[in-house]
Amino acid sequence: MTDLRYPIGTFEPPVRSEPYERQARIAQIAQAPAALRRVVSGLSDAQLDTPYRPGGWTVRQVAHHLPDSHLNAYMRMRLALTEDEPAIKSYAEERWAELPDARGAPVELSLALLDALHARWMLLLGALEPVHFARAYRHPEMGRVPLDMAIALYAWHGRHHVAHISTLRERMGW
């Protein structure tokens, strides 16, 4: 049986990042908004308020979590590009998911935010030189995080949460 928490498996940090691997991961990040839009398309409010697994977030919370998380990632990357290994702050994503907007706002707000954010993020990543991808930030739990690893993480992250919703839809026959 597949672990409903990790329908595509847990994140595996890359051993190395060749340019073609980096470009593939950046393409996955670029595709996340459209993928999320596809998996939430046509869902009713009752379906959006269904947890993707017992004890898990609702589809709506997942849809709002993606731009929350990716905004943090985008800002962390910008900090890493403009400062020498800045220490970044983590955030309590579980608590953010319980805030009123994450529990009840229309998902279209987060879909539009994710579209705009990723458009801007892709402009940034597309303009970087290979040397920039070795720049890093310091995460309180993860330690030193080079941009190449952050790119791999967020490529996985988008696919991970889209899979939460798509596998729920499959199980429920939606």
Side-chain angles (χ1 to χ4, degrees):
M1 178 179 178
T2 301
D3 184 341
L4 296 178
R5 293 172 303 164
Y6 298 101
I8 65 167
T10 57
F11 174 66
E12 297 289 332
V15 175
R16 67 184 193 298
S17 286
E18 297 295 332
Y20 72 92
E21 293 169 314
R22 178 184 305 126
Q23 289 310 312
R25 292 176 186 127
I26 290 171
Q28 291 172 351
I29 293 171
Q31 295 162 3
L36 179 61
R37 199 173 278 283
R38 268 193 312 277
V39 296
V40 300
S41 178
L43 294 179
S44 68
D45 279 335
Q47 290 167 326
L48 289 169
D49 293 329
T50 301
Y52 74 89
R53 67 175 174 85
W57 289 341
T58 67
V59 172
R60 186 182 312 272
Q61 287 171 299
V62 171
H64 293 311
H65 165 72
L66 271 171
D68 287 347
S69 175
H70 290 198
L71 273 165
N72 274 284
Y74 173 70
M75 295 307 298
R76 290 168 179 176
M77 288 184 187
R78 290 180 66 82
L79 288 167
L81 290 165
T82 59
E83 300 176 21
D84 290 330
E85 293 195 12
I88 59 95
K89 185 179 182 322
S90 60
Y91 71 103
E93 62 184 41
E94 316 77 33
R95 293 172 74 186
W96 284 37
E98 294 300 326
L99 291 171
D101 61 328
R103 293 195 64 76
V107 295
E108 182 55 41
L109 293 173
S110 282
L111 294 173
L113 178 57
L114 199 64
D115 285 338
L117 170 63
H118 279 239
R120 178 89 183 267
W121 200 0
M122 292 307 101
L123 286 173
L124 174 66
L125 293 177
L128 297 180
E129 299 294 329
V131 67
H132 292 123
F133 295 100
R135 296 196 56 91
Y137 55 82
R138 294 219 168 256
H139 189 282
E141 288 91 36
M142 298 170 64
R144 185 177 186 277
V145 179
L147 290 191
D148 261 332
M149 185 185 335
I151 288 167
L153 175 61
Y154 287 94
W156 170 85
H157 186 256
R159 294 186 344 271
H160 165 72
H161 285 302
V162 165
H164 283 150
I165 299 168
S166 64
T167 57
L168 172 66
R169 288 188 76 145
E170 289 170 17
R171 289 192 320 273
M172 301 298 282
W174 296 341

